Amino acid sequence: MRQKTQRCDLDVKTNSRKHHTELFGEERLIVRRGQPFTVILHLSPGSKEFTPGGTGFTLIVETGPLPRKESDTKASFTLSDSTSETEWSASATSDPSRKTVSVSIASSPNAPIGLYSLEVDQDGQKTSLGQFILLFNAWCPGDAVHMRSETKRQEYVLAQHGQVYRGTHKRIKGSPWNFGQFEAGILDICLKILDDNPKFVSNADQDCSGRRNPVYVSRVLSAMINSNNDRGVLVGEWGEFSGGVHPGVWIGSGDILRQWAESGPVRYGQCWVFAAVACTVSRALGIPCRVVTNFGSAHDTDANLVIENLYDEDGKRISGGDSVWNFHVWVDSWMTRPDLGQEFDGWQTSDPTPQETSEGVFCCGPAPVKAIKEGELTKKYDAPFIFAEVNADVMDLVQLSNGEFVKFSGSTKSVGRFISTKAVGSDDRHDITHQYKYPEGSKEERQVYEKAQHHNKLQQRGAEPGLHLKIKLADNMIVGSDFEVFAVLTNNHMKARTCNFLFFARAVGYNGKLGDGCGFASDKVEVPSGEERRLSLKLDYDSYGAAITSDRLIQLSAITVDKQTIDFCKAEKTIVLDEPQLEIKLLGEATLNQKVAAELTLLNPLPEPLQDCSFTIEGVGLTDSKPITAEIGSVSPKQEAKASIEFTPSTAGSCVLLGNFDSNRLKNIKSFINVTVKESNL
């Protein structure tokens, strides 16, 4: 008589708890690689007694459309006395009634991630036991993504809420983001992203086999989060947003990923949106991931590690390819780098924002953060571009009438400042600049730069020490107000100097792209030795209101030109206008499965009405994985916008409710509150 399996219990609840996947729900089995999980076989009545060592019993696991043992996408293994920590294996025990058999299955810590089928072959008769999803495992010492610290695993794999830092290096502001990697349907969408990538389409066997390696998966994601070479998740846009959602409106990844799964590339994203979505997908797949903001981020188009700002003899900017973004956001993922050596294990930078191509595709990384710090630019992938983002020198050049370019100022310290990520276990900002670079101006930092630097042949001459230019700001610069700024020129020469004094104000995007002018002042000044001259510039809302973007940034540039001595001097500051505060409060206690309302208020600080105003809330376990929006129409100048939005909590315990305000003139105003949901007494 054959021993026969009647049905299989995948014991989802117990396995999920042990594998830290319970937040995905209990609908199916989701486990992490390199760690045993248990299935319970219910034997058919009359089956012969189960003896682990004495029966023809083989388990078969398969993933991908073309499972092959040679590609590690198929494995078959018999029962052993105990499971192995290094390869697919299984052991079994039968209960005293002999009606059920508990089978412990251990996956290889190097197995490809993805959807698997599980089958048993009993004396030649094959029975399907079901399906399971296998993820990377930060808890497993044998996995390439292993992380020793439990608090870091909680933050970088399990946390569904985070902060994304924006603004300027002098005014850093954290914006809340709902990663929501455990929301219903999100993991399936993440696996679909892998299956839709061009490498899978061209060679499914090789691609599925490559999913063993988090380096490979991270590189695929950096290409697939943008839509430039494929039907990836997000369309990047930095100018015209018609026909889509303004990037500042998003407050979570779930809505974006669901839209992509339903109808293809989602319009629109900018760097923080690309990075936040990449973080969601990485954490869902089990790769520890953090969102990183670099203030003063260089975009070096010609790979000479120098950002060149070009001006004519009258102090006007000549457009060029290089730029310095006020901030730029990417992700770091944690993994070993056996392809490079142990010293490059740890955080790896990937940048899903489409800026430059790599191997013909708009993707960037992963590159070891340690390689960036040490200037090891031959280490894969795209280390020179990322090194320049945090280390490039800035050089200001004037083009003389004979066509010659002359350097008149520059900086070795303005790029790569206050590199920021959310702190582990709190909403505080954690400065990680030291992980990317040695202290600015230190001997080590200059040595690393010289090691990486291409020889620069530009002639350097110009302003001798003596003329000093700086910009002074007003104290209160809230959007909607009028204020005054000053450029101060000090002459430390022994002789008086006569200069043309120019002071420009222009709207600027966070990516450094200059917009329309919103203020200009000029004067011809004689500055006696040891004295200073001031040039004031009034910035009225009537002038800057229509010019600024939703980033609320204005770039101030002061330039002095002494054509007789070919002396040029420059000072520059980017100001971020303060935004009004979005207040969120609960109207009553939050109780499981019972409606509660959140009241959102914001004062319109502008001297004009706001049109198309709306408030949106979203929170894991609070709003059923979807944003809820209340449209309130127009709000008069200096009046309060207010809305009450109902939601029904579906999870007890600590949750986070995110809020966003949107309108025609004010966008990207975000806030959050912590919500404690109580169990119902009913």
Side-chain angles (χ1 to χ4, degrees):
M1 184 187 302
R2 280 185 173 180
Q3 186 244 353
K4 193 174 177 184
T5 301
Q6 186 179 42
R7 65 182 179 87
C8 176
D9 177 3
L10 297 178
D11 200 7
V12 172
K13 193 168 187 177
T14 303
N15 287 318
S16 296
R17 190 177 67 252
K18 290 180 178 177
H19 285 253
H20 310 278
T21 59
E22 64 267 37
L23 290 172
F24 284 116
E26 296 180 10
E27 287 74 36
R28 57 192 171 161
L29 181 59
I30 301 169
V31 293
R32 301 186 188 276
R33 64 185 194 172
Q35 181 178 337
F37 61 94
T38 301
V39 300
I40 300 164
L41 306 183
H42 293 258
L43 303 180
S44 300
S47 290
K48 70 176 182 180
E49 185 177 340
F50 184 89
T51 51
T55 183
F57 188 99
T58 302
L59 289 160
I60 303 159
V61 291
E62 296 181 342
T63 187
L66 302 163
R68 298 190 321 137
K69 289 184 179 179
E70 297 80 4
S71 302
D72 287 335
T73 50
K74 178 178 181 178
S76 56
F77 44 97
T78 57
L79 296 174
S80 308
D81 291 337
S82 61
T83 54
S84 166
E85 293 181 354
T86 59
E87 60 186 359
W88 284 97
S89 58
S91 64
T93 56
S94 56
D95 78 331
S97 72
R98 297 174 183 168
K99 291 179 182 176
T100 63
V101 178
S102 181
V103 181
S104 178
I105 301 170
S107 59
S108 163
N110 298 308
I113 63 158
L115 178 64
Y116 277 78
S117 65
L118 175 62
E119 194 176 50
V120 63
D121 184 335
Q122 294 167 282
D123 298 321
Q125 183 175 338
K126 291 183 178 179
T127 306
S128 172
L129 301 181
Q131 292 183 321
F132 63 94
I133 293 174
L134 190 68
L135 305 177
F136 291 108
N137 191 356
W139 286 262
C140 172
D143 196 306
V145 304
H146 175 242
M147 208 168 220
R148 285 196 296 269
S149 164
E150 175 60 21
T151 53
K152 289 182 178 178
R153 293 190 295 247
Q154 291 286 331
E155 181 69 49
Y156 297 129
V157 180
L158 300 182
Q160 297 195 78
H161 167 259
Q163 293 278 330
V164 180
Y165 294 95
R166 304 172 56 213
T168 70
H169 74 279
K170 290 203 169 179
R171 293 175 95 84
I172 297 173
K173 180 172 175 58
S175 288
W177 190 270
N178 181 21
F179 296 118
Q181 67 269 31
F182 298 111
E183 290 177 3
I186 295 300
L187 179 57
D188 288 321
I189 296 170
C190 296
L191 295 174
K192 176 179 164 60
I193 289 171
L194 297 183
D195 286 348
D196 279 15
N197 99 81
K199 292 181 178 180
F200 177 85
V201 175
S202 63
N203 190 332
D205 175 54
Q206 189 175 317
D207 178 76
C208 287
S209 180
R211 297 179 193 180
R212 293 172 294 184
N213 184 354
V215 176
Y216 177 82
V217 172
S218 294
R219 189 154 173 80
V220 166
L221 293 181
S222 86
M224 282 298 295
I225 299 303
N226 71 72
S227 64
N228 283 43
N229 301 102
D230 41 55
R231 284 183 58 78
V233 177
L234 276 159
V235 179
E237 181 56 57
W238 284 264
E240 174 55 51
F241 302 108
S242 61
V245 175
H246 188 286
V249 171
W250 305 113
I251 53 177
S253 304
D255 211 21
I256 295 168
L257 289 167
R258 279 186 283 270
Q259 283 190 38
W260 173 79
E262 288 171 14
S263 52
V266 178
R267 301 171 186 270
Y268 293 103
Q270 291 180 359
C271 69
W272 71 91
V273 187
F274 287 110
V277 172
C279 183
T280 293
V281 179
S282 299
R283 289 184 183 181
L285 298 176
I287 301 173
C289 190
R290 65 186 184 186
V291 176
V292 174
T293 302
N294 177 37
F295 290 94
S297 191
H299 182 176
D300 180 21
T301 56
D302 53 8
N304 68 349
L305 305 185
V306 177
I307 302 300
E308 292 130 349
N309 297 321
L310 311 178
Y311 298 84
D312 65 18
E313 280 191 300
D314 295 320
K316 291 180 181 173
R317 185 81 174 261
I318 303 170
S319 61
D322 290 348
S323 60
V324 177
W325 296 31
N326 286 286
F327 67 89
H328 183 48
V329 187
W330 58 67
V331 291
D332 286 347
S333 303
W334 182 270
M335 63 195 69
T336 59
R337 291 301 300 263
D339 56 327
L340 302 179
Q342 268 188 329
E343 66 269 33
F344 296 108
D345 291 350
W347 290 115
Q348 314 288 321
T349 295
S350 295
D351 190 349
T353 300
Q355 295 183 86
E356 301 291 332
T357 59
S358 171
E359 299 177 341
V361 176
F362 276 98
C363 66
C364 182
V369 170
K370 288 176 185 172
I372 305 306
K373 183 171 183 175
E374 298 298 337
E376 297 282 355
L377 303 195
T378 61
K379 305 304 178 188
K380 296 187 292 187
Y381 292 87
D382 309 308
F385 185 79
I386 299 166
F387 180 88
E389 287 186 304
V390 299
N391 277 298
D393 284 353
V394 176
M395 188 182 293
D396 296 319
L397 303 151
V398 63
Q399 186 174 27
L400 304 179
S401 54
N402 63 5
E404 178 187 7
F405 281 102
V406 174
K407 176 184 176 183
F408 68 92
S409 71
S411 172
T412 62
K413 298 180 180 179
S414 60
V415 165
R417 293 195 274 190
F418 298 93
I419 302 174
S420 303
T421 192
K422 177 185 172 298
V424 174
S426 81
D427 285 312
D428 295 338
R429 184 183 73 87
H430 178 42
D431 194 300
I432 55 172
T433 310
H434 63 284
Q435 295 180 16
Y436 276 86
K437 57 199 293 190
Y438 289 100
E440 286 290 0
S442 68
K443 187 174 79 172
E444 294 91 344
E445 189 260 347
R446 284 291 95 190
Q447 284 173 345
V448 167
Y449 183 81
E450 293 303 327
K451 179 164 67 171
Q453 166 71 293
H454 297 188
H455 180 60
N456 194 308
K457 297 179 181 177
L458 286 162
Q459 179 185 356
Q460 298 186 21
R461 73 165 197 236
E464 39 188 291
L467 281 178
H468 182 67
L469 191 56
K470 64 181 178 181
I471 294 172
K472 291 190 171 181
L473 305 178
D475 289 334
N476 213 350
M477 298 183 297
I478 188 164
V479 64
S481 64
D482 302 336
F483 51 91
E484 201 167 16
V485 291
F486 299 90
V488 182
L489 177 65
T490 306
N491 181 14
N492 295 323
H493 287 288
M494 298 300 290
K495 297 179 180 178
R497 305 301 290 265
T498 301
C499 304
N500 288 333
F501 200 168
L502 310 170
F503 200 2
F504 305 90
R506 292 182 75 174
V508 62
Y510 84 89
N511 61 345
K513 184 179 179 182
L514 291 171
D516 294 337
C518 52
F520 175 69
S522 65
D523 198 4
K524 189 165 187 176
V525 295
E526 181 176 341
V527 193
S529 174
E531 294 189 20
E532 68 177 36
R533 291 290 181 267
R534 288 184 165 220
L535 186 59
S536 69
L537 180 59
K538 188 92 183 293
L539 290 175
D540 297 326
Y541 179 75
D542 288 346
S543 301
Y544 71 75
I548 59 172
T549 71
S550 62
D551 302 313
R552 295 180 286 280
L553 298 171
I554 297 174
Q555 186 184 85
L556 303 174
S557 299
I559 294 177
T560 60
V561 181
D562 184 344
K563 290 188 179 180
Q564 285 189 320
T565 60
I566 316 180
D567 225 354
F568 296 82
C569 197
K570 176 192 161 199
E572 198 166 81
K573 263 189 183 172
T574 298
I575 57 176
V576 55
L577 300 176
D578 291 332
E579 63 189 37
Q581 191 73 27
L582 171 58
E583 301 284 351
I584 309 174
K585 68 177 182 180
L586 283 190
L587 301 177
E589 279 193 336
T591 305
L592 186 64
N593 298 324
Q594 293 181 22
K595 280 187 178 180
V596 65
E599 185 180 76
L600 297 92
T601 54
L602 177 138
L603 183 70
N604 174 15
L606 306 187
E608 63 174 322
L610 295 174
Q611 307 293 339
D612 305 320
C613 299
S614 66
F615 290 102
T616 300
I617 60 169
E618 181 180 332
V620 174
L622 297 174
T623 62
D624 193 27
S625 304
K626 294 188 288 289
I628 305 172
T629 298
E631 297 178 355
I632 60 169
S634 62
V635 177
S636 300
K638 311 298 181 183
Q639 295 300 303
E640 192 174 64
K642 182 182 284 190
S644 178
I645 304 178
E646 285 189 333
F647 62 96
T648 305
S650 57
T651 303
S654 296
C655 299
V656 179
L657 184 68
L658 281 60
N660 181 69
F661 176 80
D662 186 45
S663 68
N664 64 330
R665 287 284 182 210
L666 280 178
K667 293 180 180 292
N668 208 6
I669 314 286
K670 292 180 167 58
S671 187
F672 72 97
I673 57 169
N674 293 305
V675 176
T676 301
V677 180
K678 296 186 175 180
E679 296 276 5
S680 173
N681 293 324
L682 297 177

